[in-house]
Amino acid sequence: MSYFDAASGAPLHPVARQALLASLDEGWADPSRLYREGRRARMLLDAAREAAAEAVGCRPDELTFTSSGTRAVHSGIAGATGGRRRVGRHLIVSAVEHSSVLHSAELFEVTEVPVDRTGAVSAQSYVDALRPDTALACLQSANHEVGTLQPVAEVAVACRAAGVPLLVDAAQSLGWGPVEGEWSLLTGSAHKWGGPSGVGLLAVRKGVRFSPQGPADERESGRAPGFENLPAIVAAAASLRAVRAEAAQEALRLRELTERIRARVPRLVPDVDVVGDPERRLPGIVTFSCLYVDGETLLHELDRAGFSVSSGSSCTSSTLTPSHVLKAMGVLSEGNVRVSLPPGTPAEEVDRFLEVLPGAVAAVREKLGAPTPSAVVREDALVVDALGKRCPIPVIELAKVIGDVPVGGTVRVLSDDEAARLDIPAWCEMREQEYVGEEPADRGSAYVVRRIS
């Protein structure tokens, strides 16, 4: 089985395994105690903090270990806004932030900064969003679904000039290198770089106003209550140092493999949209969407063929709404596949994936291509009734009948699936047809497409 979902969780690094086993014997005591076992545990904790701080690019006393990356984000946002509560309750976030950031932001007044079709924000958009009552700005270092790198350094300059702290979610990028720029707060998650799950990092620069929320606790500077999971912390710090030592060479190798996927998938599979920035991106992530394909079904086909990949498609077992990242980018969401290669992935496995993919897509399309569209001609327009049908069926039916109207004629697709609001405009751009817009209907919405070729 080839595991191609490192962006969700990387396999445990051998160094992490060794450090975890060793510290189970040496680091079980309370590091706050003064007897021998406690002093030994304190030395391990201090060494782990120093190693992690060096990798992050901060002082050891600026770094806190938390119980997860999500907890680090929640604590970071709560503490930063608590420290600036007199300024206001306005937050700035990008439209493609991780859900942990977006869920935390729901408690505040939020300006959501849009992204372009590659998934990147512009620094100017953050400048334009700044207000006198802005308490905090948040920006990920790299996107978790498409791999696009964000202009953190430029945004940090703008925020610092306005006196607004910038929190950077560096979960996806921290294993590849430190985050550039004068950020104020930074978070990370160990299981993203090959450390054990259940360990997060929160770095808060000196001088940043920070007020931990919730009941007071004496551990981790009061920012992460509860007894430290010392063996996991030691393993997380050791693995971060190890992957950093290998990062430069491995990044070159994985970038070549993802470039191979980006170049060959559109040639091997028709009607595919490769998304994300082609240049400014993480080394191991490549994402593409296939027209007329159900994402969940495609993932099952690839799983049977021996490949573990993930999807931001609207049709997954966990949600029936489109990925907020793909939606913000305005790209196709149906049939979405994210390939994220863990370090050490053999080139032969990538080649085998490229051999299997065309057949898997063709099999899914054959299964979904059977429905006969319900079409009615009304004057110069054709109406496709796709009510009650989940994407990609409305798009499949649109594609089947677009040739039945003359150039300049329109097709009105009736659909009550939210994904159609994203996928039909994306289909029009891919197939060089004109998306006229959305109109109200008795049920759902009518999506109007004009044939121009």
Side-chain angles (χ1 to χ4, degrees):
M1 193 75 179
S2 296
Y3 181 76
F4 286 179
D5 193 24
S8 294
L12 194 65
H13 194 282
V15 169
R17 185 183 303 277
Q18 295 169 5
L20 182 64
L21 293 175
S23 56
L24 285 172
D25 292 330
E26 296 294 325
W28 51 266
D30 186 345
S32 67
R33 301 305 177 190
L34 299 179
Y35 43 70
R36 179 184 306 171
E37 293 85 356
R39 295 197 304 272
R40 185 183 300 127
R42 169 56 62 179
M43 290 176 61
L44 289 174
L45 180 58
D46 290 345
R49 197 184 312 276
E50 290 177 7
E54 181 181 3
V56 168
C58 67
R59 293 168 33 165
D61 59 353
E62 295 174 331
L63 188 136
T64 298
F65 292 109
T66 68
S67 58
S68 68
T70 294
R71 172 52 61 190
V73 167
H74 291 175
S75 298
I77 292 177
T81 54
R84 287 172 54 82
R85 58 186 175 275
R86 294 183 180 178
V87 173
R89 292 183 59 80
H90 176 241
L91 262 63
I92 305 173
V93 302
S94 82
V96 294
E97 294 298 312
H98 188 269
S99 59
S100 61
V101 174
L102 298 180
H103 290 329
S104 288
E106 291 174 355
L107 302 174
F108 303 89
E109 182 183 353
V110 179
T111 295
E112 193 172 272
V113 172
V115 296
D116 60 22
R117 285 186 65 84
T118 70
V121 303
S122 69
Q124 186 59 45
S125 63
Y126 270 74
V127 173
D128 296 340
L130 289 166
R131 300 184 342 198
D133 62 340
T134 300
L136 179 68
C138 303
L139 179 62
Q140 60 191 193
S141 56
N143 186 258
H144 50 290
E145 288 194 26
V146 300
T148 297
L149 297 174
Q150 300 289 4
V152 172
E154 294 92 328
V155 172
V157 169
C159 289
R160 180 171 286 270
V164 174
L166 175 67
L167 182 147
V168 178
D169 171 16
Q172 289 296 336
S173 71
L174 203 54
W176 298 108
V179 176
E180 297 180 356
E182 297 181 345
W183 47 265
S184 304
L185 303 96
L186 181 142
T187 64
S189 186
H191 75 280
K192 302 292 187 180
W193 66 68
S197 59
V199 179
L201 303 179
L202 170 61
V204 182
R205 296 281 199 198
K206 291 295 183 184
V208 175
R209 286 185 172 273
F210 193 91
S211 177
Q213 303 300 292
D217 193 283
E218 69 277 6
R219 295 182 184 274
E220 291 298 301
S221 303
R223 296 173 181 173
F227 199 96
E228 299 91 345
N229 185 351
L230 188 53
I233 287 173
V234 171
S239 58
L240 181 56
R241 173 177 286 181
V243 297
R244 280 291 188 82
E246 306 160 354
Q249 183 176 354
E250 191 63 16
L252 290 174
R253 200 182 67 84
L254 291 187
R255 194 174 294 279
E256 191 279 327
L257 294 179
T258 53
E259 287 288 357
R260 189 180 306 182
I261 297 173
R262 290 182 67 90
R264 291 183 59 185
V265 165
R267 296 201 298 264
L268 295 170
V269 182
D271 297 316
V272 165
D273 186 17
V274 182
V275 300
D277 195 295
E279 301 294 335
R280 286 183 50 81
R281 59 184 178 83
L282 291 174
I285 297 180
V286 57
T287 305
F288 55 88
S289 299
C290 308
L291 274 173
Y292 323 130
V293 169
D294 177 300
E296 184 177 7
T297 304
L298 179 55
L299 262 59
H300 287 321
E301 288 286 339
L302 292 171
D303 182 52
R304 281 193 287 269
F307 293 96
S308 302
V309 299
S310 63
S311 173
S313 172
S314 60
C315 303
T316 66
S317 58
S318 60
T319 178
L320 290 176
T321 59
S323 151
H324 73 278
V325 172
L326 301 177
K327 186 175 181 179
M329 293 168 61
V331 299
L332 188 70
S333 70
E334 66 185 60
N336 179 261
V337 174
R338 180 187 67 181
V339 175
S340 48
L341 306 176
T345 299
E348 295 77 16
E349 289 303 295
V350 171
D351 290 336
R352 190 170 72 87
F353 173 77
L354 292 170
E355 292 175 2
V356 166
L357 180 66
V361 173
V364 175
R365 283 175 172 165
E366 184 178 359
K367 293 177 183 177
L368 297 176
T372 301
S374 174
V376 180
V377 176
R378 296 179 182 172
E379 299 176 356
D380 62 341
L382 187 148
V383 178
V384 174
D385 185 355
L387 292 169
K389 300 175 181 178
R390 295 289 183 186
C391 279
I393 299 302
V395 182
I396 291 174
E397 298 190 350
L398 168 62
K400 285 184 175 182
V401 302
I402 190 69
D404 295 343
V405 297
V407 173
T410 61
V411 177
R412 296 176 78 248
V413 183
L414 303 178
S415 177
D416 51 6
D417 181 15
E418 181 186 346
R421 184 170 287 115
L422 175 63
D423 289 348
I424 289 177
W427 178 89
C428 290
E429 179 160 336
M430 291 179 65
R431 303 310 294 268
E432 298 182 341
Q433 305 297 339
E434 179 185 355
Y435 177 64
V436 178
E438 179 180 348
E439 298 177 351
D442 293 338
R443 284 181 56 200
S445 298
Y447 301 93
V448 183
V449 176
R450 178 175 287 112
R451 182 184 175 190
I452 59 175
S453 63

